[in-house]
Amino acid sequence: MQSRQLTLYWSPLSQPSRAVHALLLIADIPFNTVVIDLSKGEQRTEDFKKINPRGVVPAIQDVDFTLGESTAILKYLCNTQPSIPEHYWPKNNEKRALVDQFLEYNGNHFRDSLHAPYMFYLIQKLRGVTFEPAEFENAMKACWKELDTLEVYLGQHEGDFIIGKEPTIADIQLYSDFTSIYYNKIEDQFAESDKYPRIKAWRDKMLEISGVKKIFDQWHDNVLPNINGFMYS
Amino acid sequence: MTAKIYGHPLSIPTRIAQTVAKRVGQEAEFVLVDVIAGAQFEDSYKKLNPNQKIPLYQSGDFTLSESYAIAKYLTDRGEEASALYPREAKTRATIDMHLGVFNDLKTNALQLDYQLVINPKMFKVDTDAKVVAKCDATVKKILGEYEAHLSGKKYILGDSFTILDLIFTLQLLGLAFVSYDFGAEFPTLRKYYDDILAEQADLKAQHDEFHEGLKALA
């Protein structure tokens, strides 16, 4: 058993932070957590900038090595922690490339579409910037269209997960951003829709992974009510 | 069967995929997707890429989208692999971290391409000033970070040219699409860019081709 000092700097508000935290639980290794309170601007302190000069979460420190950017962290953990099953970041070139494609898709497209609607409310609350109903409606349409795309992607390979029969770090990132449907208050509409059978099956499989479920439950029960209470008041 | 790269000559992500493919000896046949005319929205292309974006790499039954994923995949298969994208865990992680930031630069710069040039010119759609302001701020913030990072450095990782320099140089090239002269505000980036072009023949060729293509668009 390796003895390592690994620390996760994170915020439960941040989807990429929750993804990294979930993978660390899956790794089943000892690690420290430091919550960076974004509402108090703790990401901008000199101390935190020593860990991540960009002043964003998540970030990790592994002994004396510091790293930012959630996708880089997820890959680094898979490359250095033998307890993480290989299917999370496959060694086969083509499978790995497909996982990478979905990590990129999540970071470049899916994440933005899923969080655009509630961001109008959050920015309005934080900075007093108002918005037109049409802007919000367009963002909501784009969010549903993105879910349509995910539904198609989930049908491309045999198996319930994004590239096949086993979960990957792309599934972990996508799932974390998928839960923005709660921030957008469309979880009931989503549940009632008959257009997303694959996403629903995938969501259920993701919640069978105890690390993913633990992070989701903590966020859903403790963080979500406060944030939605704040944003939509 | 030859591999293919679907894309457009004015698309920097397409050029990233093509430049890496050529550099690592994995050249692919170019298939034009006329994104200016909306060809990416046709059913035939949607079947290949449900996300309806370019570039797309195809080799036999294997298809791969997202330019940075294509770049990394080809590099890991090619002969020049280790120098461009070293496998040592911490070096690779540091490269992946920078690529995560470049993704923000890429997506915001692409939004500016659409808002400032493609939408008004091709689709007669008005520019959304709010979107432009947000994307412009993000692009400049990232350029400012690398202006500082590259001070006193030849390459992003210091001593050696890696996939980061290849991609970052092409992202800087792409800013010419909206006629933004990054050198005026960021002299270190200007010097970095000019030095890379003087040293890397394929990137100089990309610069020349892209600028020729922009002239035709004007």
Side-chain angles (χ1 to χ4, degrees):
Chain A
M1 170 136 171
Q2 285 168 304
S3 82
R4 245 179 226 238
Q5 279 307 114
L6 198 146
T7 303
L8 169 68
Y9 295 82
W10 79 305
S11 164
L13 302 177
S14 137
Q15 294 90 317
S17 281
R18 297 202 299 276
V20 173
H21 200 163
L23 186 69
L24 279 166
L25 292 177
I26 290 166
D28 195 22
I29 55 168
F31 65 99
N32 313 304
T33 54
V34 174
V35 175
I36 299 295
D37 191 339
L38 302 178
S39 70
K40 294 197 180 124
E42 285 179 358
Q43 69 275 31
R44 288 185 285 272
T45 62
E46 281 312 305
D47 275 348
F48 181 64
K49 285 204 174 158
K50 286 192 188 111
I51 304 295
N52 187 1
R54 300 199 77 231
V56 291
V57 288
I60 59 161
Q61 179 161 16
D62 181 10
V63 189
D64 56 352
F65 178 63
T66 57
L67 188 66
E69 296 304 309
S70 59
T71 293
I73 296 170
L74 292 169
K75 291 173 181 178
Y76 173 75
L77 290 172
C78 288
N79 285 337
T80 56
Q81 297 295 336
S83 58
I84 298 177
E86 193 200 301
H87 58 75
Y88 279 101
W89 183 228
K91 288 200 172 23
N92 169 272
N93 268 336
E94 281 70 34
K95 285 187 181 169
R96 176 167 285 206
L98 286 175
V99 179
D100 204 19
Q101 169 193 285
F102 286 114
L103 286 165
E104 297 277 333
Y105 164 70
N106 183 70
N108 300 339
H109 309 290
F110 188 76
R111 172 171 295 152
D112 284 346
S113 301
L114 270 281
H115 83 199
Y118 76 81
M119 284 300 283
F120 284 112
Y121 283 93
L122 186 63
I123 303 290
Q124 183 173 251
K125 242 359 215 184
L126 291 177
R127 299 186 209 152
V129 176
T130 56
F131 58 90
E132 301 296 312
E135 289 183 86
F136 177 79
E137 277 152 29
N138 285 338
M140 196 54 97
K141 265 193 212 138
C143 174
W144 285 108
K145 183 163 185 284
E146 203 65 68
L147 291 170
D148 293 345
T149 300
L150 180 62
E151 181 72 15
V152 173
Y153 271 139
L154 281 167
Q156 279 191 320
H157 305 277
E158 207 183 304
D160 289 319
F161 298 100
I162 197 74
I163 73 153
K165 297 189 175 131
E166 290 169 312
T168 68
I169 50 178
D171 294 276
I172 293 180
Q173 282 277 42
L174 284 164
Y175 179 73
S176 194
D177 284 291
F178 165 73
T179 61
S180 290
I181 61 168
Y182 288 88
Y183 279 150
N184 291 333
K185 299 211 286 187
I186 56 171
E187 70 273 25
D188 291 336
Q189 221 179 313
F190 176 81
E192 285 154 27
S193 168
D194 56 9
K195 284 173 68 184
Y196 307 104
R198 293 189 196 116
I199 298 182
K200 287 171 180 171
W202 169 74
R203 171 204 56 197
D204 293 344
K205 294 295 281 186
M206 289 306 292
L207 288 172
E208 285 175 18
I209 303 168
S210 70
V212 172
K213 181 167 190 345
K214 186 168 176 201
I215 295 300
F216 173 76
D217 285 345
Q218 272 177 13
W219 169 77
H220 179 269
D221 298 344
N222 305 326
V223 176
L224 178 68
N226 293 330
I227 298 301
N228 277 8
F230 171 72
M231 286 199 286
Y232 294 107
S233 62
Chain B
M1 184 170 172
T2 338
K4 296 187 168 97
I5 289 176
Y6 293 76
H8 191 281
L10 287 174
S11 147
I12 288 293
T14 299
R15 288 186 174 275
I16 287 170
Q18 288 175 306
T19 305
V20 172
K22 196 162 177 192
R23 192 178 261 253
V24 300
Q26 308 248 344
E27 245 175 300
E29 186 192 316
F30 175 67
V31 179
L32 177 69
V33 179
D34 193 354
V35 293
I36 312 287
Q40 70 274 38
F41 302 122
E42 283 165 25
D43 281 343
S44 55
Y45 190 72
K46 197 174 177 182
K47 275 202 189 83
L48 288 174
N49 184 7
N51 198 26
Q52 303 171 290
K53 304 264 187 251
I54 55 166
L56 184 79
Y57 174 84
Q58 184 182 47
S59 179
D61 288 335
F62 180 67
T63 59
L64 190 65
S65 66
E66 297 300 324
S67 57
Y68 292 6
I70 297 168
K72 283 174 269 172
Y73 168 67
L74 293 176
T75 303
D76 271 349
R77 289 183 64 197
E79 280 139 32
E80 258 205 57
S82 57
L84 268 189
Y85 191 33
R87 287 181 189 271
E88 189 278 318
K90 289 177 184 170
T91 311
R92 183 161 278 214
T94 304
I95 292 177
D96 288 339
M97 176 181 72
H98 285 286
L99 287 176
V101 182
F102 293 167
N103 263 326
D104 264 357
L105 175 62
K106 165 164 62 94
T107 49
N108 281 277
L110 268 171
Q111 275 265 49
L112 289 174
D113 289 351
Y114 275 89
Q115 286 292 331
L116 297 174
V117 177
I118 299 174
N119 286 355
K121 251 197 165 105
M122 319 292 177
F123 303 122
K124 315 291 179 209
V125 167
D126 286 335
T127 297
D128 184 331
K130 264 195 221 175
V131 173
V132 170
K134 174 199 155 285
C135 294
D136 190 71
T138 302
V139 167
K140 297 210 171 131
K141 177 170 183 279
I142 294 172
L143 293 181
E145 288 171 13
Y146 285 88
E147 174 79 4
H149 177 89
L150 283 165
S151 169
K153 284 197 191 74
K154 190 165 183 208
Y155 305 113
I156 291 172
L157 283 200
D159 291 333
S160 33
F161 179 91
T162 64
I163 200 171
L164 288 178
D165 302 287
L166 188 156
I167 286 177
F168 189 56
T169 300
L170 290 175
Q171 297 292 175
L172 289 174
L173 170 62
L175 299 171
F177 193 89
V178 296
S179 308
Y180 172 56
D181 174 20
F182 60 86
E185 275 181 83
F186 304 108
T188 302
L189 295 185
R190 171 93 264 151
K191 180 170 193 312
Y192 166 82
Y193 185 83
D194 290 344
D195 288 350
I196 296 264
L197 255 52
E199 184 186 87
Q200 310 285 337
D202 58 345
L203 294 178
K204 172 81 174 67
Q206 287 296 327
H207 170 98
D208 293 342
E209 274 178 42
F210 189 72
H211 278 275
E212 271 308 303
L214 287 181
K215 281 187 201 149
L217 188 71

